Amino acid sequence: MDNNRQWITARQGSRIFILEIFSAAALFLPQTALRGNEHSAVLSVAAVWILAGVYVLTASKIAKGIPMDRVLGEYRWAAVIYYLRFLINAAFFYGYIISMAETYMLRQKQSLMVGLPLLILAYSMNRKGLLGRARVMEGIFWFVLLPVILVLALGGTDLAWSEIAVTSFRWTEFLRGSFLLLALLHPIELVWFYRGNIKEGGVKITSFLAVGALFLGIFAVVLGSLGRKLTLLDQNPVMSMAQGAAIPGGVMARLDIFLIAFWIVGVFCVFSGYLFYGNEGLCQALGRKGKITGEILSYGGLFLGTNLLLKYWDIIWNHFFLFLYGNLAAGLLFPVILFLTAGRKKHEKKH
């Protein structure tokens, strides 16, 4: 990475963290929590964010000031693996954005007309480096989150608290639900790629508190509005909840369009992030030519493969949980092994 333009402020780092983690996970959170732990899911939602905080603190301790770009520059094979993994993840979120747009906003299938602007915008933002991404995400931060906060405030006025409350507790269900939610939070691995470039240090505790509060809010309002059974049956319960929220007095009957816009922009941040970090890692391993080759393969490959991706989208979506578990194993454990190896090698050189 070009370090002379990679340094970002703590506020920018916090907003990157919130947008990338929350946008990728919140839409799937209520049904995922119930699937693993139907009777005490709210406890799993709270517990998993504690686990996520422990993971980031552990990451900071293991990294010991070693930036990810230095590790990938030393272990080129790891950079290639990251590039391929992140390209697969980007393809998933790319397909999901197009699927959302076609379901909620477009009357006809226009996948290429949606996909091309997405790829152009992602390339335009990413070519300016981490600082360019940070400035864009800082600028859209409240545009993305205010609709969510508004919908939660309006949707939370009349909730069935019995649907949210813990009805029974079993350790096996609690652990299974927490593990499944931790898999849902797999984009937290992106912290490894920018935490070393924050001027004031790592991610602040307030960022964890903010995302945790948003997660609990999404979970409580959806379950309190729809109930457990409907939440499990509905493919997009968050959108269904938003369709039932309205501003008092009939000023605006439908608020779900704002939530759709939020998730398209929010998930775009995640999609473009995977492309950015993957290509920057390839640049560390293979140099500038490697990055250019990676960009051609990733942006061009996604555009050319758009129709094929959408053709098999139903099959991909039906295997969503396999996607989560694969990312949990590779995304959370792989970087820990890398940094432990790099730290030991650094220690050996000193002695």
Side-chain angles (χ1 to χ4, degrees), residues 159-202:
L159 300 180
W161 293 102
S162 59
E163 296 289 340
I164 306 169
V166 176
T167 56
S168 65
F169 180 85
R170 296 177 183 174
W171 277 106
T172 53
E173 289 186 0
F174 172 72
L175 293 175
R176 184 172 65 246
S178 301
F179 184 75
L180 193 57
L181 287 177
L182 186 61
L184 185 65
L185 295 185
H186 68 85
I188 202 169
E189 68 174 305
L190 298 178
V191 171
W192 292 93
F193 288 82
Y194 60 82
R195 59 161 300 280
N197 297 86
I198 300 176
K199 294 178 181 178
E200 296 89 342

Side-chain angles (χ1 to χ4, degrees), residues 25-337:
L27 194 62
F28 316 109
L29 180 75
Q31 61 270 42
T32 302
L34 287 179
R35 177 168 176 164
N37 181 18
E38 184 174 352
H39 299 99
S40 58
V42 65
L43 297 180
S44 291
V45 175
V48 76
W49 202 243
I50 296 174
L51 292 176
V54 171
Y55 176 80
V56 174
L57 291 175
T58 303
S60 299
K61 186 175 181 179
I62 291 174
K64 295 179 180 178
I66 304 174
M68 175 61 89
D69 54 339
R70 188 188 305 171
V71 175
L72 295 183
E74 187 168 350
Y75 300 102
R76 295 183 177 182
W77 56 271
V80 175
I81 290 175
Y82 265 120
Y83 173 79
L84 294 175
R85 274 197 59 244
F86 284 5
L87 181 57
I88 292 172
N89 288 359
F92 174 81
F93 286 107
Y94 173 71
Y96 187 72
I97 294 172
I98 296 175
S99 176
M100 284 184 64
E102 290 182 344
T103 301
Y104 294 102
M105 302 180 72
L106 303 175
R107 294 183 179 180
Q108 298 177 346
K109 300 295 183 181
Q110 301 178 16
S111 54
L112 291 176
M113 294 298 294
V114 177
L116 182 59
L118 283 176
L119 292 168
I120 292 174
L121 287 172
Y123 176 75
S124 299
M125 181 168 70
N126 290 344
R127 66 188 294 269
K128 297 178 181 179
L130 181 60
L131 181 56
R133 279 185 57 78
R135 286 173 174 170
V136 171
M137 294 172 76
E138 186 178 24
I140 65 174
F141 181 77
W142 288 113
F143 165 78
V144 171
L145 287 188
L146 279 178
V148 179
I149 296 172
L150 176 62
V151 169
L152 290 180
L154 295 173
T157 55
D158 185 20
L159 300 180
W161 293 102
S162 59
E163 296 289 340
I164 306 169
V166 176
T167 56
S168 65
F169 180 85
R170 296 177 183 174
W171 277 106
T172 53
E173 289 186 0
F174 172 72
L175 293 175
R176 184 172 65 246
S178 301
F179 184 75
L180 193 57
L181 287 177
L182 186 61
L184 185 65
L185 295 185
H186 68 85
I188 202 169
E189 68 174 305
L190 298 178
V191 171
W192 292 93
F193 288 82
Y194 60 82
R195 59 161 300 280
N197 297 86
I198 300 176
K199 294 178 181 178
E200 296 89 342
V203 179
K204 304 301 181 184
I205 187 64
T206 51
S207 302
F208 286 96
L209 296 176
V211 179
L214 288 170
F215 276 166
L216 286 171
I218 286 282
F219 178 80
V221 173
V222 170
L223 256 70
S225 301
L226 304 181
R228 299 184 185 187
K229 291 184 178 179
L230 187 56
T231 299
L232 279 170
L233 293 173
D234 198 327
Q235 285 191 344
N236 289 298
V238 176
M239 293 301 180
S240 298
M241 175 273 295
Q243 289 174 344
I247 296 177
V251 177
M252 188 174 295
R254 291 191 59 185
L255 293 175
D256 55 310
I257 190 66
F258 292 102
L259 207 59
I260 294 166
F262 151 71
W263 252 289
I264 288 178
V265 175
V267 176
F268 169 79
C269 293
V270 185
F271 152 69
S272 62
Y274 275 120
L275 290 176
F276 173 74
Y277 299 119
N279 283 305
E280 288 294 326
L282 206 61
C283 180
Q284 292 302 313
L286 305 176
R288 184 66 182 173
K289 291 182 179 179
K291 181 182 179 181
I292 293 173
T293 302
E295 288 177 342
I296 293 173
L297 291 175
S298 55
Y299 293 98
L302 284 178
F303 178 71
L304 294 176
T306 300
N307 287 332
L308 183 64
L309 179 66
L310 271 294
K311 180 180 178 180
Y312 294 101
W313 182 250
D314 289 340
I315 297 175
I316 296 171
W317 181 248
N318 289 334
H319 292 82
F320 174 65
F321 287 96
L322 292 179
F323 171 78
L324 290 184
Y325 285 130
N327 271 293
L328 176 66
L332 300 189
L333 297 178
F334 183 58
V336 171
I337 296 171

